[in-house]
Amino acid sequence: MKTGKLFVVSAPSGSGKTTLCNKLLEDGLGLANSVSMTTRTPRPGETGGVDYHFVTRKKFLGLVKTGGFLEHENNFGHLYGTPKSFIEKNLDAGSDVLLSIDVKGAMKVRRQYPKDSVLIFIRPPSIVVLKKRLLSRRSEDVQTIAKRLGIAKKEMAYRGKYNYCIVNDRLATAYKKLKNIILSELSTK
Ligand code: ADP
Ligand code: 5GP
């Protein structure tokens, strides 16, 4: 029986990971989207159940206790986790799943699924460009952006641990590279 693949995409916040992953999901490649759970509040335009499952800290910690997460992390003071049942259900059915999670979470997924996970790192052309993108998104204040830029530098150090690394300079070019990686990995299933 063919099992599914886990495509795990990570990037420093503001690199364009959400933009690229949304394009992938709209492109008819048949990837199931793993919707993470988080205790952070929705940003303008975000929808519960689509972008994230937005939950209370109490509910999140309850799920941690009962082993409901494949992995979970504290990012920028908020909790984020990958619901385990969704991943297992799709892999068992032979479906491929897209996970958009941070670098520490990605390492944990690889440890649990060494053969069935493909790790893709998206990076901005430079820290200066990253700062510009975070400012243009207008979803965080200046202090939060400074904090995220500091963390971005640490996350960049993980890129060598990924199977693939894509520089998101021109969006169309980066997307083409991402799609080709997915298509080539799916063809070897
Ligand atoms: P992430 O999910 O990595 O935090 P987003 O997808 O929210 O990042 O992108 C951050 C901002 O940068 C958004 O305003 C997005 O429209 C913009 N953006 C994404 N990719 C590019 C690109 N290649 N060139 C210019 N702007 C981009
Ligand atoms: P944001 O608040 O900008 O949406 O996400 C902050 C960080 O949390 C990003 O690096 C994002 O990839 C990460 N993240 C989102 N969902 C999960 C998850 O389920 N697990 C882990 N480990 N990180 C996540």
Side-chain angles (χ1 to χ4, degrees), residues 9-14 17-18 35-38 40 43 46 52 71-73 75-76 78 80-83 100-106 137 140 148 155:
V9 181
S10 306
S13 179
K17 175 174 55 131
T18 308
V35 179
S36 294
M37 208 167 266
T38 183
R40 86 152 160 75
R43 292 187 185 126
E46 283 185 333
Y52 281 104
E71 60 73 38
H72 59 92
E73 286 295 336
N75 287 325
F76 319 112
H78 301 292
Y80 296 79
T82 304
S100 182
I101 64 176
D102 82 326
V103 290
K104 285 177 279 162
R137 191 167 67 185
E140 286 91 6
R148 291 196 172 209
E155 288 173 329

PDB file of all heavy atoms in Angstrom, residues 9-14 17-18 35-38 40 43 46 52 71-73 75-76 78 80-83 100-106 137 140 148 155, ligand 2:
ATOM      1  N   VAL A   9       6.997  22.688   5.382  1.00  0.00           N
ATOM      2  CA  VAL A   9       7.575  23.954   4.918  1.00  0.00           C
ATOM      3  C   VAL A   9       7.815  24.865   6.114  1.00  0.00           C
ATOM      4  O   VAL A   9       6.925  25.090   6.931  1.00  0.00           O
ATOM      5  CB  VAL A   9       6.625  24.640   3.904  1.00  0.00           C
ATOM      6  CG1 VAL A   9       7.234  25.944   3.404  1.00  0.00           C
ATOM      7  CG2 VAL A   9       6.333  23.718   2.728  1.00  0.00           C
ATOM      8  N   SER A  10       9.050  25.373   6.212  1.00  0.00           N
ATOM      9  CA  SER A  10       9.388  26.323   7.278  1.00  0.00           C
ATOM     10  C   SER A  10      10.037  27.552   6.662  1.00  0.00           C
ATOM     11  O   SER A  10      10.629  27.478   5.578  1.00  0.00           O
ATOM     12  CB  SER A  10      10.396  25.730   8.269  1.00  0.00           C
ATOM     13  OG  SER A  10       9.965  24.515   8.779  1.00  0.00           O
ATOM     14  N   ALA A  11       9.937  28.659   7.388  1.00  0.00           N
ATOM     15  CA  ALA A  11      10.561  29.905   6.932  1.00  0.00           C
ATOM     16  C   ALA A  11      10.549  30.889   8.074  1.00  0.00           C
ATOM     17  O   ALA A  11       9.632  30.870   8.887  1.00  0.00           O
ATOM     18  CB  ALA A  11       9.759  30.484   5.769  1.00  0.00           C
ATOM     19  N   PRO A  12      11.539  31.773   8.122  1.00  0.00           N
ATOM     20  CA  PRO A  12      11.437  32.851   9.102  1.00  0.00           C
ATOM     21  C   PRO A  12      10.154  33.648   8.839  1.00  0.00           C
ATOM     22  O   PRO A  12       9.771  33.829   7.678  1.00  0.00           O
ATOM     23  CB  PRO A  12      12.677  33.710   8.819  1.00  0.00           C
ATOM     24  CG  PRO A  12      13.627  32.782   8.141  1.00  0.00           C
ATOM     25  CD  PRO A  12      12.781  31.835   7.344  1.00  0.00           C
ATOM     26  N   SER A  13       9.493  34.069   9.902  1.00  0.00           N
ATOM     27  CA  SER A  13       8.233  34.797   9.764  1.00  0.00           C
ATOM     28  C   SER A  13       8.387  35.998   8.835  1.00  0.00           C
ATOM     29  O   SER A  13       9.316  36.798   8.982  1.00  0.00           O
ATOM     30  CB  SER A  13       7.811  35.270  11.164  1.00  0.00           C
ATOM     31  OG  SER A  13       6.625  35.987  11.077  1.00  0.00           O
ATOM     32  N   GLY A  14       7.511  36.098   7.831  1.00  0.00           N
ATOM     33  CA  GLY A  14       7.559  37.215   6.887  1.00  0.00           C
ATOM     34  C   GLY A  14       8.256  36.866   5.576  1.00  0.00           C
ATOM     35  O   GLY A  14       8.300  37.671   4.644  1.00  0.00           O
ATOM     36  N   LYS A  17       6.046  32.351   3.365  1.00  0.00           N
ATOM     37  CA  LYS A  17       5.641  30.938   3.445  1.00  0.00           C
ATOM     38  C   LYS A  17       4.125  30.776   3.258  1.00  0.00           C
ATOM     39  O   LYS A  17       3.685  29.904   2.505  1.00  0.00           O
ATOM     40  CB  LYS A  17       6.077  30.393   4.813  1.00  0.00           C
ATOM     41  CG  LYS A  17       5.629  28.975   5.093  1.00  0.00           C
ATOM     42  CD  LYS A  17       6.239  28.496   6.376  1.00  0.00           C
ATOM     43  CE  LYS A  17       5.924  29.437   7.499  1.00  0.00           C
ATOM     44  NZ  LYS A  17       5.427  28.895   8.702  1.00  0.00           N
ATOM     45  N   THR A  18       3.347  31.618   3.924  1.00  0.00           N
ATOM     46  CA  THR A  18       1.885  31.504   3.807  1.00  0.00           C
ATOM     47  C   THR A  18       1.450  31.769   2.369  1.00  0.00           C
ATOM     48  O   THR A  18       0.637  31.031   1.807  1.00  0.00           O
ATOM     49  CB  THR A  18       1.190  32.512   4.755  1.00  0.00           C
ATOM     50  OG1 THR A  18       1.748  32.326   6.052  1.00  0.00           O
ATOM     51  CG2 THR A  18      -0.303  32.321   4.799  1.00  0.00           C
ATOM     52  N   VAL A  35      -4.030  21.993   9.289  1.00  0.00           N
ATOM     53  CA  VAL A  35      -4.357  23.267   9.957  1.00  0.00           C
ATOM     54  C   VAL A  35      -3.900  23.154  11.409  1.00  0.00           C
ATOM     55  O   VAL A  35      -4.370  22.293  12.153  1.00  0.00           O
ATOM     56  CB  VAL A  35      -5.872  23.568   9.868  1.00  0.00           C
ATOM     57  CG1 VAL A  35      -6.206  24.871  10.590  1.00  0.00           C
ATOM     58  CG2 VAL A  35      -6.314  23.633   8.404  1.00  0.00           C
ATOM     59  N   SER A  36      -2.934  23.998  11.765  1.00  0.00           N
ATOM     60  CA  SER A  36      -2.379  23.939  13.120  1.00  0.00           C
ATOM     61  C   SER A  36      -3.343  24.539  14.130  1.00  0.00           C
ATOM     62  O   SER A  36      -4.253  25.303  13.775  1.00  0.00           O
ATOM     63  CB  SER A  36      -1.073  24.720  13.182  1.00  0.00           C
ATOM     64  OG  SER A  36      -0.099  24.098  12.398  1.00  0.00           O
ATOM     65  N   MET A  37      -3.088  24.204  15.383  1.00  0.00           N
ATOM     66  CA  MET A  37      -3.851  24.811  16.467  1.00  0.00           C
ATOM     67  C   MET A  37      -2.955  25.862  17.113  1.00  0.00           C
ATOM     68  O   MET A  37      -1.737  25.652  17.228  1.00  0.00           O
ATOM     69  CB  MET A  37      -4.186  23.715  17.466  1.00  0.00           C
ATOM     70  CG  MET A  37      -5.449  23.977  18.220  1.00  0.00           C
ATOM     71  SD  MET A  37      -5.974  22.495  19.072  1.00  0.00           S
ATOM     72  CE  MET A  37      -7.104  21.790  17.897  1.00  0.00           C
ATOM     73  N   THR A  38      -3.532  26.983  17.494  1.00  0.00           N
ATOM     74  CA  THR A  38      -2.717  28.013  18.159  1.00  0.00           C
ATOM     75  C   THR A  38      -3.513  28.759  19.224  1.00  0.00           C
ATOM     76  O   THR A  38      -4.739  28.853  19.130  1.00  0.00           O
ATOM     77  CB  THR A  38      -2.154  29.038  17.146  1.00  0.00           C
ATOM     78  OG1 THR A  38      -1.309  29.959  17.845  1.00  0.00           O
ATOM     79  CG2 THR A  38      -3.230  29.826  16.435  1.00  0.00           C
ATOM     80  N   ARG A  40      -2.657  31.958  19.716  1.00  0.00           N
ATOM     81  CA  ARG A  40      -2.600  33.386  19.372  1.00  0.00           C
ATOM     82  C   ARG A  40      -3.940  33.825  18.787  1.00  0.00           C
ATOM     83  O   ARG A  40      -4.727  32.998  18.325  1.00  0.00           O
ATOM     84  CB  ARG A  40      -1.423  33.706  18.455  1.00  0.00           C
ATOM     85  CG  ARG A  40      -1.644  33.532  16.979  1.00  0.00           C
ATOM     86  CD  ARG A  40      -0.736  34.480  16.185  1.00  0.00           C
ATOM     87  NE  ARG A  40      -0.536  34.084  14.801  1.00  0.00           N
ATOM     88  CZ  ARG A  40      -1.430  34.213  13.826  1.00  0.00           C
ATOM     89  NH1 ARG A  40      -2.657  34.648  14.089  1.00  0.00           N
ATOM     90  NH2 ARG A  40      -1.127  33.844  12.603  1.00  0.00           N
ATOM     91  N   ARG A  43      -5.296  37.199  13.018  1.00  0.00           N
ATOM     92  CA  ARG A  43      -4.950  38.471  12.374  1.00  0.00           C
ATOM     93  C   ARG A  43      -6.129  38.868  11.495  1.00  0.00           C
ATOM     94  O   ARG A  43      -6.914  38.005  11.100  1.00  0.00           O
ATOM     95  CB  ARG A  43      -3.736  38.291  11.459  1.00  0.00           C
ATOM     96  CG  ARG A  43      -2.483  37.999  12.199  1.00  0.00           C
ATOM     97  CD  ARG A  43      -1.274  38.013  11.239  1.00  0.00           C
ATOM     98  NE  ARG A  43      -0.097  37.603  11.957  1.00  0.00           N
ATOM     99  CZ  ARG A  43       0.719  36.614  11.609  1.00  0.00           C
ATOM    100  NH1 ARG A  43       0.497  35.932  10.505  1.00  0.00           N
ATOM    101  NH2 ARG A  43       1.760  36.311  12.343  1.00  0.00           N
ATOM    102  N   GLU A  46      -7.867  36.459   8.829  1.00  0.00           N
ATOM    103  CA  GLU A  46      -7.693  35.030   9.127  1.00  0.00           C
ATOM    104  C   GLU A  46      -9.018  34.433   9.613  1.00  0.00           C
ATOM    105  O   GLU A  46      -9.773  35.077  10.335  1.00  0.00           O
ATOM    106  CB  GLU A  46      -6.618  34.831  10.204  1.00  0.00           C
ATOM    107  CG  GLU A  46      -5.209  34.971   9.659  1.00  0.00           C
ATOM    108  CD  GLU A  46      -4.138  34.664  10.704  1.00  0.00           C
ATOM    109  OE1 GLU A  46      -4.392  34.832  11.917  1.00  0.00           O
ATOM    110  OE2 GLU A  46      -3.031  34.269  10.299  1.00  0.00           O
ATOM    111  N   TYR A  52      -5.940  28.702  10.996  1.00  0.00           N
ATOM    112  CA  TYR A  52      -5.558  27.998  12.229  1.00  0.00           C
ATOM    113  C   TYR A  52      -6.846  27.572  12.922  1.00  0.00           C
ATOM    114  O   TYR A  52      -7.913  28.135  12.657  1.00  0.00           O
ATOM    115  CB  TYR A  52      -4.830  28.950  13.206  1.00  0.00           C
ATOM    116  CG  TYR A  52      -3.380  29.215  12.909  1.00  0.00           C
ATOM    117  CD1 TYR A  52      -2.973  30.420  12.349  1.00  0.00           C
ATOM    118  CD2 TYR A  52      -2.402  28.273  13.220  1.00  0.00           C
ATOM    119  CE1 TYR A  52      -1.626  30.692  12.091  1.00  0.00           C
ATOM    120  CE2 TYR A  52      -1.050  28.536  12.959  1.00  0.00           C
ATOM    121  CZ  TYR A  52      -0.683  29.733  12.401  1.00  0.00           C
ATOM    122  OH  TYR A  52       0.652  29.978  12.143  1.00  0.00           O
ATOM    123  N   GLU A  71       3.395  17.316  17.164  1.00  0.00           N
ATOM    124  CA  GLU A  71       4.454  18.150  17.752  1.00  0.00           C
ATOM    125  C   GLU A  71       3.808  19.452  18.161  1.00  0.00           C
ATOM    126  O   GLU A  71       2.775  19.824  17.623  1.00  0.00           O
ATOM    127  CB  GLU A  71       5.601  18.379  16.756  1.00  0.00           C
ATOM    128  CG  GLU A  71       5.222  19.079  15.447  1.00  0.00           C
ATOM    129  CD  GLU A  71       4.930  20.541  15.604  1.00  0.00           C
ATOM    130  OE1 GLU A  71       5.607  21.199  16.388  1.00  0.00           O
ATOM    131  OE2 GLU A  71       3.994  21.037  14.941  1.00  0.00           O
ATOM    132  N   HIS A  72       4.421  20.136  19.122  1.00  0.00           N
ATOM    133  CA  HIS A  72       3.932  21.474  19.489  1.00  0.00           C
ATOM    134  C   HIS A  72       5.092  22.302  20.012  1.00  0.00           C
ATOM    135  O   HIS A  72       6.082  21.764  20.502  1.00  0.00           O
ATOM    136  CB  HIS A  72       2.797  21.377  20.525  1.00  0.00           C
ATOM    137  CG  HIS A  72       3.194  20.693  21.785  1.00  0.00           C
ATOM    138  ND1 HIS A  72       3.685  21.365  22.875  1.00  0.00           N
ATOM    139  CD2 HIS A  72       3.218  19.383  22.116  1.00  0.00           C
ATOM    140  CE1 HIS A  72       3.978  20.497  23.818  1.00  0.00           C
ATOM    141  NE2 HIS A  72       3.710  19.287  23.383  1.00  0.00           N
ATOM    142  N   GLU A  73       4.967  23.626  19.847  1.00  0.00           N
ATOM    143  CA  GLU A  73       6.049  24.539  20.220  1.00  0.00           C
ATOM    144  C   GLU A  73       5.475  25.832  20.766  1.00  0.00           C
ATOM    145  O   GLU A  73       4.314  26.160  20.500  1.00  0.00           O
ATOM    146  CB  GLU A  73       6.887  24.917  18.973  1.00  0.00           C
ATOM    147  CG  GLU A  73       7.793  23.839  18.449  1.00  0.00           C
ATOM    148  CD  GLU A  73       8.914  23.442  19.379  1.00  0.00           C
ATOM    149  OE1 GLU A  73       9.313  24.254  20.243  1.00  0.00           O
ATOM    150  OE2 GLU A  73       9.381  22.302  19.261  1.00  0.00           O
ATOM    151  N   ASN A  75       6.001  29.626  20.231  1.00  0.00           N
ATOM    152  CA  ASN A  75       6.628  30.607  19.343  1.00  0.00           C
ATOM    153  C   ASN A  75       6.154  31.996  19.713  1.00  0.00           C
ATOM    154  O   ASN A  75       4.942  32.252  19.705  1.00  0.00           O
ATOM    155  CB  ASN A  75       6.256  30.340  17.877  1.00  0.00           C
ATOM    156  CG  ASN A  75       6.966  29.121  17.330  1.00  0.00           C
ATOM    157  OD1 ASN A  75       8.105  28.857  17.684  1.00  0.00           O
ATOM    158  ND2 ASN A  75       6.291  28.366  16.488  1.00  0.00           N
ATOM    159  N   PHE A  76       7.081  32.873  19.997  1.00  0.00           N
ATOM    160  CA  PHE A  76       6.740  34.270  20.317  1.00  0.00           C
ATOM    161  C   PHE A  76       5.713  34.353  21.452  1.00  0.00           C
ATOM    162  O   PHE A  76       4.818  35.196  21.432  1.00  0.00           O
ATOM    163  CB  PHE A  76       6.198  35.009  19.068  1.00  0.00           C
ATOM    164  CG  PHE A  76       6.908  34.713  17.785  1.00  0.00           C
ATOM    165  CD1 PHE A  76       6.283  34.025  16.758  1.00  0.00           C
ATOM    166  CD2 PHE A  76       8.232  35.100  17.610  1.00  0.00           C
ATOM    167  CE1 PHE A  76       6.938  33.737  15.574  1.00  0.00           C
ATOM    168  CE2 PHE A  76       8.901  34.830  16.429  1.00  0.00           C
ATOM    169  CZ  PHE A  76       8.251  34.144  15.409  1.00  0.00           C
ATOM    170  N   HIS A  78       3.278  32.297  22.134  1.00  0.00           N
ATOM    171  CA  HIS A  78       2.017  31.596  21.874  1.00  0.00           C
ATOM    172  C   HIS A  78       2.312  30.121  21.573  1.00  0.00           C
ATOM    173  O   HIS A  78       3.392  29.787  21.109  1.00  0.00           O
ATOM    174  CB  HIS A  78       1.289  32.209  20.679  1.00  0.00           C
ATOM    175  CG  HIS A  78       0.958  33.650  20.860  1.00  0.00           C
ATOM    176  ND1 HIS A  78       0.034  34.084  21.784  1.00  0.00           N
ATOM    177  CD2 HIS A  78       1.450  34.757  20.265  1.00  0.00           C
ATOM    178  CE1 HIS A  78      -0.038  35.404  21.737  1.00  0.00           C
ATOM    179  NE2 HIS A  78       0.824  35.836  20.831  1.00  0.00           N
ATOM    180  N   TYR A  80       1.674  26.623  19.516  1.00  0.00           N
ATOM    181  CA  TYR A  80       1.289  26.156  18.183  1.00  0.00           C
ATOM    182  C   TYR A  80       1.486  24.641  18.141  1.00  0.00           C
ATOM    183  O   TYR A  80       2.498  24.143  18.623  1.00  0.00           O
ATOM    184  CB  TYR A  80       2.193  26.751  17.085  1.00  0.00           C
ATOM    185  CG  TYR A  80       2.127  28.243  16.915  1.00  0.00           C
ATOM    186  CD1 TYR A  80       2.812  29.096  17.774  1.00  0.00           C
ATOM    187  CD2 TYR A  80       1.398  28.802  15.879  1.00  0.00           C
ATOM    188  CE1 TYR A  80       2.770  30.475  17.603  1.00  0.00           C
ATOM    189  CE2 TYR A  80       1.353  30.190  15.697  1.00  0.00           C
ATOM    190  CZ  TYR A  80       2.033  31.015  16.559  1.00  0.00           C
ATOM    191  OH  TYR A  80       1.994  32.369  16.388  1.00  0.00           O
ATOM    192  N   GLY A  81       0.548  23.925  17.533  1.00  0.00           N
ATOM    193  CA  GLY A  81       0.717  22.484  17.455  1.00  0.00           C
ATOM    194  C   GLY A  81       0.045  21.876  16.236  1.00  0.00           C
ATOM    195  O   GLY A  81      -0.922  22.422  15.695  1.00  0.00           O
ATOM    196  N   THR A  82       0.588  20.725  15.817  1.00  0.00           N
ATOM    197  CA  THR A  82       0.032  19.984  14.679  1.00  0.00           C
ATOM    198  C   THR A  82      -0.878  18.875  15.194  1.00  0.00           C
ATOM    199  O   THR A  82      -0.389  17.939  15.838  1.00  0.00           O
ATOM    200  CB  THR A  82       1.178  19.325  13.864  1.00  0.00           C
ATOM    201  OG1 THR A  82       2.103  20.344  13.473  1.00  0.00           O
ATOM    202  CG2 THR A  82       0.648  18.602  12.639  1.00  0.00           C
ATOM    203  N   PRO A  83      -2.185  18.966  14.931  1.00  0.00           N
ATOM    204  CA  PRO A  83      -3.084  17.892  15.381  1.00  0.00           C
ATOM    205  C   PRO A  83      -2.680  16.547  14.766  1.00  0.00           C
ATOM    206  O   PRO A  83      -2.490  16.443  13.551  1.00  0.00           O
ATOM    207  CB  PRO A  83      -4.467  18.348  14.900  1.00  0.00           C
ATOM    208  CG  PRO A  83      -4.345  19.840  14.772  1.00  0.00           C
ATOM    209  CD  PRO A  83      -2.927  20.076  14.318  1.00  0.00           C
ATOM    210  N   SER A 100       2.835  23.642   7.544  1.00  0.00           N
ATOM    211  CA  SER A 100       3.563  24.900   7.529  1.00  0.00           C
ATOM    212  C   SER A 100       3.896  25.215   8.988  1.00  0.00           C
ATOM    213  O   SER A 100       3.063  25.738   9.710  1.00  0.00           O
ATOM    214  CB  SER A 100       2.612  25.920   6.903  1.00  0.00           C
ATOM    215  OG  SER A 100       3.202  27.140   6.805  1.00  0.00           O
ATOM    216  N   ILE A 101       5.103  24.840   9.393  1.00  0.00           N
ATOM    217  CA  ILE A 101       5.440  24.912  10.826  1.00  0.00           C
ATOM    218  C   ILE A 101       6.874  25.418  11.025  1.00  0.00           C
ATOM    219  O   ILE A 101       7.633  25.522  10.066  1.00  0.00           O
ATOM    220  CB  ILE A 101       5.244  23.541  11.529  1.00  0.00           C
ATOM    221  CG1 ILE A 101       6.199  22.498  10.972  1.00  0.00           C
ATOM    222  CG2 ILE A 101       3.806  23.068  11.395  1.00  0.00           C
ATOM    223  CD1 ILE A 101       6.119  21.159  11.696  1.00  0.00           C
ATOM    224  N   ASP A 102       7.238  25.681  12.253  1.00  0.00           N
ATOM    225  CA  ASP A 102       8.555  26.270  12.504  1.00  0.00           C
ATOM    226  C   ASP A 102       9.673  25.214  12.465  1.00  0.00           C
ATOM    227  O   ASP A 102       9.401  24.017  12.353  1.00  0.00           O
ATOM    228  CB  ASP A 102       8.555  27.039  13.840  1.00  0.00           C
ATOM    229  CG  ASP A 102       8.745  26.127  15.009  1.00  0.00           C
ATOM    230  OD1 ASP A 102       8.261  24.983  14.959  1.00  0.00           O
ATOM    231  OD2 ASP A 102       9.399  26.531  15.986  1.00  0.00           O
ATOM    232  N   VAL A 103      10.912  25.685  12.567  1.00  0.00           N
ATOM    233  CA  VAL A 103      12.060  24.796  12.376  1.00  0.00           C
ATOM    234  C   VAL A 103      12.147  23.682  13.437  1.00  0.00           C
ATOM    235  O   VAL A 103      12.475  22.534  13.115  1.00  0.00           O
ATOM    236  CB  VAL A 103      13.391  25.588  12.343  1.00  0.00           C
ATOM    237  CG1 VAL A 103      13.491  26.422  11.079  1.00  0.00           C
ATOM    238  CG2 VAL A 103      13.572  26.478  13.556  1.00  0.00           C
ATOM    239  N   LYS A 104      11.818  24.023  14.681  1.00  0.00           N
ATOM    240  CA  LYS A 104      11.912  22.994  15.728  1.00  0.00           C
ATOM    241  C   LYS A 104      10.848  21.925  15.510  1.00  0.00           C
ATOM    242  O   LYS A 104      11.098  20.727  15.649  1.00  0.00           O
ATOM    243  CB  LYS A 104      11.779  23.631  17.119  1.00  0.00           C
ATOM    244  CG  LYS A 104      13.028  24.379  17.530  1.00  0.00           C
ATOM    245  CD  LYS A 104      12.857  25.068  18.857  1.00  0.00           C
ATOM    246  CE  LYS A 104      12.127  26.375  18.683  1.00  0.00           C
ATOM    247  NZ  LYS A 104      11.540  26.932  19.856  1.00  0.00           N
ATOM    248  N   GLY A 105       9.641  22.372  15.132  1.00  0.00           N
ATOM    249  CA  GLY A 105       8.555  21.426  14.830  1.00  0.00           C
ATOM    250  C   GLY A 105       8.931  20.529  13.659  1.00  0.00           C
ATOM    251  O   GLY A 105       8.666  19.326  13.672  1.00  0.00           O
ATOM    252  N   ALA A 106       9.572  21.120  12.647  1.00  0.00           N
ATOM    253  CA  ALA A 106       9.950  20.352  11.455  1.00  0.00           C
ATOM    254  C   ALA A 106      10.927  19.224  11.817  1.00  0.00           C
ATOM    255  O   ALA A 106      10.819  18.099  11.332  1.00  0.00           O
ATOM    256  CB  ALA A 106      10.580  21.284  10.420  1.00  0.00           C
ATOM    257  N   ARG A 137       3.260  43.946   5.730  1.00  0.00           N
ATOM    258  CA  ARG A 137       2.108  43.104   6.104  1.00  0.00           C
ATOM    259  C   ARG A 137       1.232  43.812   7.133  1.00  0.00           C
ATOM    260  O   ARG A 137       0.056  43.521   7.255  1.00  0.00           O
ATOM    261  CB  ARG A 137       2.625  41.756   6.643  1.00  0.00           C
ATOM    262  CG  ARG A 137       1.539  40.732   6.799  1.00  0.00           C
ATOM    263  CD  ARG A 137       2.080  39.346   7.029  1.00  0.00           C
ATOM    264  NE  ARG A 137       2.750  39.225   8.321  1.00  0.00           N
ATOM    265  CZ  ARG A 137       3.390  38.141   8.734  1.00  0.00           C
ATOM    266  NH1 ARG A 137       3.450  37.088   7.948  1.00  0.00           N
ATOM    267  NH2 ARG A 137       3.969  38.102   9.915  1.00  0.00           N
ATOM    268  N   GLU A 140       1.917  43.212  12.668  1.00  0.00           N
ATOM    269  CA  GLU A 140       2.589  43.246  13.969  1.00  0.00           C
ATOM    270  C   GLU A 140       3.114  44.653  14.242  1.00  0.00           C
ATOM    271  O   GLU A 140       3.403  45.400  13.298  1.00  0.00           O
ATOM    272  CB  GLU A 140       3.787  42.284  14.000  1.00  0.00           C
ATOM    273  CG  GLU A 140       3.414  40.818  14.094  1.00  0.00           C
ATOM    274  CD  GLU A 140       3.276  40.163  12.735  1.00  0.00           C
ATOM    275  OE1 GLU A 140       3.568  40.796  11.703  1.00  0.00           O
ATOM    276  OE2 GLU A 140       2.839  39.019  12.691  1.00  0.00           O
ATOM    277  N   ARG A 148      10.832  39.236  15.948  1.00  0.00           N
ATOM    278  CA  ARG A 148      10.783  38.213  14.888  1.00  0.00           C
ATOM    279  C   ARG A 148      12.053  38.228  14.033  1.00  0.00           C
ATOM    280  O   ARG A 148      12.508  37.181  13.585  1.00  0.00           O
ATOM    281  CB  ARG A 148       9.533  38.406  14.021  1.00  0.00           C
ATOM    282  CG  ARG A 148       8.278  38.063  14.799  1.00  0.00           C
ATOM    283  CD  ARG A 148       7.054  37.861  13.958  1.00  0.00           C
ATOM    284  NE  ARG A 148       5.976  37.351  14.815  1.00  0.00           N
ATOM    285  CZ  ARG A 148       4.998  36.576  14.430  1.00  0.00           C
ATOM    286  NH1 ARG A 148       4.906  36.195  13.186  1.00  0.00           N
ATOM    287  NH2 ARG A 148       4.080  36.147  15.280  1.00  0.00           N
ATOM    288  N   GLU A 155      16.710  31.038  13.051  1.00  0.00           N
ATOM    289  CA  GLU A 155      16.048  30.023  12.216  1.00  0.00           C
ATOM    290  C   GLU A 155      16.830  29.755  10.936  1.00  0.00           C
ATOM    291  O   GLU A 155      16.870  28.622  10.453  1.00  0.00           O
ATOM    292  CB  GLU A 155      14.630  30.493  11.867  1.00  0.00           C
ATOM    293  CG  GLU A 155      13.695  30.426  13.053  1.00  0.00           C
ATOM    294  CD  GLU A 155      12.340  31.050  12.756  1.00  0.00           C
ATOM    295  OE1 GLU A 155      12.274  31.995  11.947  1.00  0.00           O
ATOM    296  OE2 GLU A 155      11.363  30.604  13.335  1.00  0.00           O
TER     297      GLU A 155
HETATM  298  P1  5GP B   2       2.414  32.979  12.786  1.00  0.00           P
HETATM  299  O1  5GP B   2       1.943  33.464  14.121  1.00  0.00           O
HETATM  300  O2  5GP B   2       3.257  34.008  12.072  1.00  0.00           O
HETATM  301  O3  5GP B   2       1.288  32.445  11.940  1.00  0.00           O
HETATM  302  O4  5GP B   2       3.373  31.734  13.057  1.00  0.00           O
HETATM  303  C1  5GP B   2       4.481  31.856  13.899  1.00  0.00           C
HETATM  304  C2  5GP B   2       5.386  30.650  13.719  1.00  0.00           C
HETATM  305  O5  5GP B   2       4.711  29.474  14.209  1.00  0.00           O
HETATM  306  C3  5GP B   2       5.725  30.354  12.268  1.00  0.00           C
HETATM  307  O6  5GP B   2       7.109  29.993  12.206  1.00  0.00           O
HETATM  308  C4  5GP B   2       4.860  29.179  11.932  1.00  0.00           C
HETATM  309  O7  5GP B   2       5.403  28.364  10.913  1.00  0.00           O
HETATM  310  C5  5GP B   2       4.869  28.441  13.254  1.00  0.00           C
HETATM  311  N1  5GP B   2       3.804  27.442  13.373  1.00  0.00           N
HETATM  312  C6  5GP B   2       2.533  27.498  12.897  1.00  0.00           C
HETATM  313  N2  5GP B   2       1.872  26.368  13.183  1.00  0.00           N
HETATM  314  C7  5GP B   2       2.750  25.568  13.843  1.00  0.00           C
HETATM  315  C8  5GP B   2       2.674  24.244  14.377  1.00  0.00           C
HETATM  316  O8  5GP B   2       1.664  23.554  14.333  1.00  0.00           O
HETATM  317  N3  5GP B   2       3.789  23.762  14.975  1.00  0.00           N
HETATM  318  C9  5GP B   2       4.945  24.476  15.057  1.00  0.00           C
HETATM  319  N4  5GP B   2       5.996  23.882  15.648  1.00  0.00           N
HETATM  320  N5  5GP B   2       5.057  25.708  14.563  1.00  0.00           N
HETATM  321  C10 5GP B   2       3.973  26.253  13.960  1.00  0.00           C
END
